Amino acid sequence: MPWQLLLEQVRYAGRYATPEEGERALRAVLTVLGGQLSDEESAELARLLPREAGQLVVAQPSLAEPLSAPAFVGAVAFRLAPTTSPQARWATSTVLALVAQHAGRPLTRRLLAKLPPGHAVLFGQSGFTPTAAAA
């Protein structure tokens, strides 16, 4: 998939007024997400995204401990400053739901199983529980 198509998907799903707003949200969320994943996970996800998006994910060093869902949204808010917490949550959910679509169910479930509770709803996976991932 081309980068421009992903940008259009983010713009449409997030109801952003301009392509630049959508791109800003996409870059912020993918940058924060990259720090939450192991090198193998980020490489696997990067292969499923446009090259530019994949580079944003793999360029981030993995954190020792993944952020909680509220801290994840806070990190996105910091990157999108000045913004409100609801706007950052909207951006996060918009981008991560599209990431989940492109990643597919098996990879999304593996990622969610390794992230702290609360991330599933950000990925548009409200029914996810760690035990459901094993099923």
Side-chain angles (χ1 to χ4, degrees):
M1 161 195 301
W3 169 251
Q4 289 301 331
L5 181 56
L6 181 59
L7 288 177
E8 277 303 308
Q9 289 177 338
V10 170
R11 182 178 178 199
Y12 178 77
R15 299 182 181 151
Y16 293 107
T18 67
E20 293 78 18
E21 287 180 62
E23 181 172 358
R24 192 166 172 251
L26 178 62
R27 289 182 178 279
V29 174
L30 290 179
T31 298
V32 175
L33 178 61
Q36 309 305 299
L37 307 177
S38 70
D39 290 343
E40 297 99 28
E41 293 161 345
S42 58
E44 186 174 354
L45 179 59
R47 285 190 295 274
L48 300 171
L49 297 173
R51 184 179 57 79
E52 296 90 337
Q55 288 174 337
L56 289 169
V57 173
V58 298
Q60 306 312 309
S62 297
L63 299 174
E65 285 286 320
L67 299 172
S68 68
F72 188 106
V73 172
V76 170
F78 178 78
R79 292 187 173 282
L80 292 176
T83 193
T84 65
S85 184
Q87 289 169 327
R89 186 163 182 339
W90 178 261
T92 301
S93 294
T94 296
V95 172
L96 291 181
L98 286 169
V99 165
Q101 288 177 7
H102 292 285
R105 190 176 176 118
L107 177 57
T108 299
R109 287 179 156 289
R110 284 197 320 270
L111 296 178
L112 288 173
K114 294 182 179 180
L115 292 170
H119 282 79
V121 73
L122 297 176
F123 279 83
Q125 310 287 311
S126 62
F128 177 82
T129 60
T131 54

